Amino acid sequence: MARSKNELQQALKDGAARKPNLVDGHDIFGSPLDVDPETDRKRWRLSDEAGRQTWHYLEDDHQVQLWPQSVADKYFLDLPTGLPTLPSPRSGLESINNALTFFSKLQLPPGNWACEYGGPMFLLPGLVITWYVTNTPIPRSHAIEIRNYLFARQNGEDGGWGLHIEGHSSVFGTAMTYVVLRLLGVSEEDKRMVKARGTLHKLGGATHGPHWAKFWLSVLGICSWDAVNPVPPELWLLPDWLPVAPWRWWIHMRQVFLPMSFIYSKRFSHPLTPLTTQIREEIYTRSYGSIDFLSHRNTISPTDNYHPKTWVLNVINWALVNVWNPYLRTQSVAQRAEDWTFTLIRMEDENTKYANLGPVNGPMNLLACYIRDGEGSYSVRRHRERMHDFLWMKKEGMLMNGTNGVQTWDTSFLIQAVVAAGLAEDPRWKPMLTKALEFLEDQQIRENCPNQSICYRQQRKGAWAFSTKDQGYTVSDTTSEAMKSVILLQRTPGYPTLVSDERLEQAVDTLLTMQNSSGGFSSYEPTRGSEYLEYLNAAEVFGRIMVEYDYPECTTAVVTVLSLFKKYYPHYRSQDIERVTQDALSYIRTAQRPDGSWYGSWGVCFTYASMFALESLASVGEKFENSERARRGCDFLLSKQMEDGGWGESYKACETGVYTHHARSQVVNTAWACLGLMEAGYPDRAPIERGLRLIAGRQQPNGEWHQEAIEGVFNKSCMISYPNYKFIFPIKALGMFAKHHGDMHWT
């Protein structure tokens, strides 16, 4: 059976490229236009090969028999799992055991946990447009479910779509989603499309979209490149010593603008088809032929203009459009720039085994390879395969994840949660934790990138990536959390030593290269450029995107793991570790706001960062009883506790930088707040117990918690989901309380 299942998985992958493409907007599913087709959710399967997660649709009954649906498959698809109702818990530890009984069933064969990592609404359009213009086959099953997901996320009030699933309607979200639905066969006369088009027109039409929208629409051939502000590949020819050189930009910004500049230089546009000719008459407020696109380079709807372009950027763009491009840009310079940018694109592909950094540069790299290497090339074939790594299937349909997963990140936190609860030696959970340890051992990155300095990559030997080692990007807090989990388990009796001391030392070596002069730590690499580079932020919809910044969450994770490492390895680079730790602590103390909080850049928001900050201070002995900073952090958290005993913070806090209550308390926020208070040693159990009782009260009879509001964020304005947080942090909070205060009982 196992061999047959593996052979079936490979056959499905090999056969995907031979399925017919879905093009030209006909009613490709053969259904009436007012009826949405659906796939049979019982035929979907999630494959996990060493952390690489891809969804497959089984077309016939024989395939279904060869590859049975797992509990995890059923859970993700909101199908009955067959898991039993558990005895009603009467204490915190019983609640934890119920949660682990359920959550352990979701562990995948390599030892990791999976989940959707959705939220952003601008990812699927880039992929579908790339598929369309590169003649990449779109499986019928995927087309159906992408279409269903997009309609499921349509704003009910005005029919538009936002930057993310909880955001207000914008031109970016509405124009791009509308176009994709039309490419996937939805009629312009569908009442939902009529409503969406009305909202789009009220917002000004596609001419009022941000830079990235105009780029993708130009690639599709339904917008003129004249409307796109310049993305010159010549930037990559600038000397590295220049303050504006691209290697100084934040990694996501430079890896997006790298293929974007190559494509911009080629002015690639897909030839018009009857469908795209029709679409371009639908998305503007006037006839396509009458639009002066050049005059709309800087036109943008207020709903999209989160970070307005500066006068500096406007002057540079004017000079590029009116002087550089027509008079000074020679063919030889353009060719040199295109050649070098494509060389860097090739290095990115090879260094990530074509998984790429994320779901924005991945499709762009596919398109660049299609332009340069041709449709039948090895690079295009590898990219087409890898695009499926980003896709996720759920009840509402198929979405695109914000990376190729959160495998290492979530697995690390689950280990820590069980250890914090004092349950790592419980024989019920040792097999689960041993598999998780095996996964982390397998996912540690064992070598640096070839030509590391040439392609501007950070040292990575010994590090862990956020998702998988194939993706291969060092992340400071992921490395810290994975390393912490490995040490905790390997120091627990009964667990094997899979990661050697030498490999842990390699992880420390890499972490020590990542500190900024401020003492803080960024995400992927140290800050390379000045914050003044934000004057060149051309994305408009995101803030703090041009360079790496100090992040409390990253810094606190490094402090915590170095403190743990020093406990067991006191002689390895002790002076370096002490210096780095003290400088990091100085940053953490400085980053604390007057109200006692810390601003979170990767989770919602002040609650998230404050939890980590209080944990790191506690790891060096600073607690409520002896630290004024810890007391202020606790006072902040207590001031935000809601009447029902829980905490609930809105994503709006990320956008505004001001704590904003959610309309309802949230299980995840409540767990974070309780953990922060307990880490700091807050002496009064009562407010913590109130929060934990709220968490326990929302647990379901089968041991799970239901999904509530969105938990994550990036670049201040875009929210992203972490569905496993609702298991991990309640388990940790309930367990930590039981470990330090005794189990909490109720009737």
Side-chain angles (χ1 to χ4, degrees):
M1 178 73 71
R3 183 182 177 191
S4 298
K5 171 185 168 184
N6 292 336
E7 290 174 349
L8 173 58
Q9 290 175 347
Q10 188 58 51
L12 288 169
K13 292 173 187 174
D14 293 342
R18 296 191 293 272
K19 293 182 181 179
N21 201 358
L22 309 175
V23 296
D24 285 350
H26 301 299
D27 184 19
I28 52 181
F29 310 123
S31 303
L33 293 182
D34 60 347
V35 175
D36 287 323
E38 293 183 357
T39 61
D40 181 355
R41 281 184 283 150
K42 294 180 181 179
R43 294 183 177 274
W44 285 98
R45 302 291 188 271
L46 177 65
S47 170
D48 189 334
E49 302 173 272
R52 184 189 177 195
Q53 299 163 174
T54 52
W55 282 93
H56 303 271
Y57 189 70
L58 308 186
E59 298 286 356
D60 61 52
D61 293 341
H62 180 61
Q63 293 175 340
V64 171
Q65 292 176 356
L66 287 177
W67 187 354
Q69 205 166 41
S70 69
V71 171
D73 294 337
K74 295 173 184 176
Y75 172 74
F76 298 137
L77 296 165
D78 199 29
L79 295 171
T81 61
L83 296 179
T85 296
L86 301 171
S88 297
R90 294 170 295 178
S91 72
L93 287 177
E94 289 183 8
S95 177
I96 292 171
N97 284 319
N98 280 3
L100 288 173
T101 297
F102 184 89
F103 198 51
S104 64
K105 300 297 190 299
L106 305 185
Q107 188 177 29
L108 299 177
N112 63 292
W113 279 265
C115 65
E116 71 163 288
Y117 188 47
M121 291 300 297
F122 58 89
L123 301 177
L124 272 174
L127 173 64
V128 175
I129 288 173
T130 300
W131 276 343
Y132 189 90
V133 303
T134 60
N135 301 311
T136 298
I138 307 174
R140 170 187 165 91
S141 55
H142 290 53
I144 290 171
E145 295 300 349
I146 289 172
R147 165 173 159 167
N148 289 341
Y149 178 78
L150 294 177
F151 275 133
R153 294 303 182 182
Q154 188 173 24
N155 289 334
E157 184 175 340
D158 60 16
W161 291 268
L163 182 67
H164 57 87
I165 59 176
E166 294 190 11
H168 61 263
S169 295
S170 64
V171 174
F172 193 14
T174 304
M176 297 292 284
T177 306
Y178 180 93
V179 167
V180 165
L181 286 168
R182 292 287 284 118
L183 292 179
L184 295 178
V186 180
S187 168
E188 77 280 12
E189 297 303 323
D190 184 296
K191 61 183 179 181
R192 296 162 298 185
M193 300 292 277
V194 173
K195 190 173 184 179
R197 194 162 61 245
T199 292
L200 177 59
H201 288 182
K202 288 178 183 177
L203 294 174
T207 54
H208 287 58
H211 184 254
W212 288 14
K214 291 170 181 172
F215 168 84
W216 280 119
L217 296 179
S218 296
V219 164
L220 186 58
I222 60 175
C223 179
S224 167
W225 282 105
D226 287 344
V228 182
N229 269 312
V231 194
E234 295 88 280
L235 283 170
W236 299 90
L237 299 178
L238 294 174
D240 286 350
W241 54 264
L242 280 178
V244 297
W247 76 278
R248 300 180 184 276
W249 303 355
W250 184 46
I251 184 64
H252 278 280
M253 196 62 171
R254 70 175 185 262
Q255 289 295 9
V256 167
F257 270 65
L258 177 65
M260 184 181 280
S261 67
F262 178 85
I263 296 163
Y264 170 84
S265 185
K266 292 294 188 181
R267 298 298 199 277
F268 174 89
S269 288
H270 189 263
L272 283 173
T273 66
L275 171 62
T276 55
T277 299
Q278 185 176 349
I279 293 174
R280 72 179 192 174
E281 294 298 334
E282 298 167 11
I283 60 173
Y284 301 103
T285 58
R286 54 192 299 184
S287 172
Y288 182 87
S290 67
I291 299 172
D292 178 6
F293 282 97
L294 186 61
S295 69
H296 286 290
R297 278 191 306 108
N298 295 315
T299 303
I300 183 169
S301 167
T303 60
D304 294 73
N305 204 15
Y306 180 79
H307 189 284
K309 292 186 294 296
T310 63
W311 69 268
V312 175
L313 182 59
N314 284 332
V315 168
I316 292 172
N317 284 336
W318 182 92
L320 289 170
V321 169
N322 295 289
V323 180
W324 174 253
N325 285 345
Y327 301 115
L328 302 179
R329 188 181 193 245
T330 65
Q331 182 58 39
S332 62
V333 168
Q335 190 62 53
R336 278 183 58 218
E338 290 174 3
D339 290 345
W340 179 235
T341 54
F342 194 78
T343 297
L344 292 174
I345 290 169
R346 183 82 77 204
M347 289 182 181
E348 157 74 354
D349 289 345
E350 293 173 352
N351 284 331
T352 62
K353 298 182 180 178
Y354 290 84
N356 294 134
L357 174 62
V360 179
N361 79 313
M364 289 184 183
N365 279 19
L366 165 56
L367 178 54
C369 289
Y370 177 86
I371 295 169
R372 181 74 169 232
D373 295 339
E375 182 175 351
S377 64
Y378 172 81
S379 62
V380 169
R381 178 170 63 82
R382 288 299 309 278
H383 273 300
R384 284 172 169 170
E385 294 169 354
R386 282 294 195 177
M387 290 302 104
H388 293 271
D389 296 17
F390 296 112
L391 296 172
W392 187 263
M393 182 62 194
K394 58 183 297 188
K395 176 182 179 181
E396 290 86 355
M398 179 166 278
L399 59 95
M400 195 171 191
N401 280 336
T403 60
N404 61 333
V406 294
Q407 296 89 318
T408 297
W409 182 250
D410 279 4
T411 302
S412 300
F413 276 129
L414 186 278
I415 291 172
Q416 293 178 34
V418 180
V419 171
L423 297 175
E425 295 183 69
D426 189 321
R428 289 175 294 179
W429 315 125
K430 286 185 73 172
M432 174 189 76
L433 293 176
T434 300
K435 286 292 292 182
L437 177 61
E438 291 171 353
F439 179 78
L440 292 185
E441 185 278 329
D442 179 65
Q443 291 301 315
Q444 188 181 25
I445 302 169
R446 304 299 300 279
E447 70 287 317
N448 288 318
C449 292
N451 301 311
Q452 176 177 294
S453 60
I454 296 176
C455 57
Y456 310 115
R457 286 290 297 271
Q458 175 67 21
Q459 176 178 321
R460 68 177 190 175
K461 186 176 182 179
W464 278 269
F466 183 72
S467 55
T468 64
K469 65 182 178 183
D470 279 2
Q471 193 260 9
Y473 273 87
T474 306
V475 183
S476 63
D477 55 355
T478 306
T479 298
S480 299
E481 303 297 353
M483 182 181 170
K484 177 181 175 183
S485 301
V486 168
I487 293 174
L488 288 172
L489 268 192
Q490 293 190 164
R491 292 287 171 168
T492 300
Y495 286 91
T497 299
L498 302 180
V499 181
S500 67
D501 292 352
E502 180 184 10
R503 289 169 62 180
L504 292 173
E505 290 166 358
Q506 291 169 354
V508 170
D509 291 342
T510 290
L511 282 176
L512 295 182
T513 69
M514 301 184 74
Q515 190 170 37
N516 295 320
S517 60
S518 63
F521 281 77
S522 305
S523 52
Y524 294 90
E525 56 202 14
T527 302
R528 297 175 173 182
S530 166
E531 190 172 353
Y532 286 114
L533 281 170
E534 292 294 349
Y535 281 95
L536 306 182
N537 181 350
E540 300 159 317
V541 295
F542 306 115
R544 288 165 60 92
I545 196 174
M546 288 300 296
V547 296
E548 280 275 20
Y549 288 90
D550 297 318
Y551 298 116
E553 308 101 301
C554 296
T555 309
T556 55
V558 175
V559 167
T560 302
V561 77
L562 290 181
S563 299
L564 180 66
F565 179 84
K566 185 168 61 174
K567 175 181 176 182
Y568 294 108
Y569 304 90
H571 303 298
Y572 185 76
R573 299 190 65 176
S574 57
Q575 292 184 347
D576 292 335
I577 289 173
E578 179 64 19
R579 171 182 51 80
V580 167
T581 300
Q582 291 304 317
D583 289 347
L585 286 167
S586 178
Y587 162 75
I588 293 168
R589 293 162 184 149
T590 302
Q592 188 176 26
R593 293 190 170 196
D595 64 1
S597 69
W598 288 265
Y599 176 84
S601 296
W602 303 104
V604 179
C605 169
F606 295 97
T607 320
Y608 180 74
S610 296
M611 171 189 64
F612 284 114
L614 290 170
E615 179 189 17
S616 66
L617 291 176
S619 75
V620 296
E622 289 192 30
K623 294 197 171 188
F624 186 90
E625 63 181 4
N626 63 2
S627 169
E628 185 266 340
R629 292 182 181 85
R631 286 193 292 272
R632 287 198 292 123
C634 290
D635 289 343
F636 169 79
L637 290 175
L638 292 167
S639 73
K640 306 305 179 186
Q641 190 169 23
M642 302 174 77
E643 289 185 5
D644 63 3
W647 280 260
E649 187 174 3
S650 167
Y651 74 83
K652 291 291 185 181
C654 304
E655 296 178 340
T656 63
V658 177
Y659 188 96
T660 307
H661 279 289
H662 197 280
R664 183 174 185 260
S665 59
Q666 303 291 307
V667 163
V668 172
N669 286 146
T670 301
W672 290 342
C674 290
L675 284 166
L677 293 170
M678 286 187 284
E679 293 282 9
Y682 184 70
D684 185 359
R685 295 172 42 167
I688 300 171
E689 285 196 43
R690 290 182 65 213
L692 296 179
R693 288 181 186 278
L694 179 135
I695 290 173
R698 293 195 188 167
Q699 190 176 26
Q700 301 303 303
N702 62 0
E704 69 171 317
W705 282 273
H706 286 162
Q707 184 65 29
E708 296 180 337
I710 204 161
E711 307 92 345
V713 63
F714 59 91
N715 300 125
K716 299 186 72 172
S717 61
C718 195
M719 308 306 131
I720 196 160
S721 301
Y722 288 84
N724 286 336
Y725 280 5
K726 65 180 178 288
F727 293 99
I728 292 167
F729 289 105
I731 289 171
K732 185 175 182 180
L734 289 164
M736 185 178 290
F737 186 91
K739 188 174 181 180
H740 293 292
H741 300 290
D743 198 7
M744 183 175 60
H745 294 266
W746 52 82
T747 57

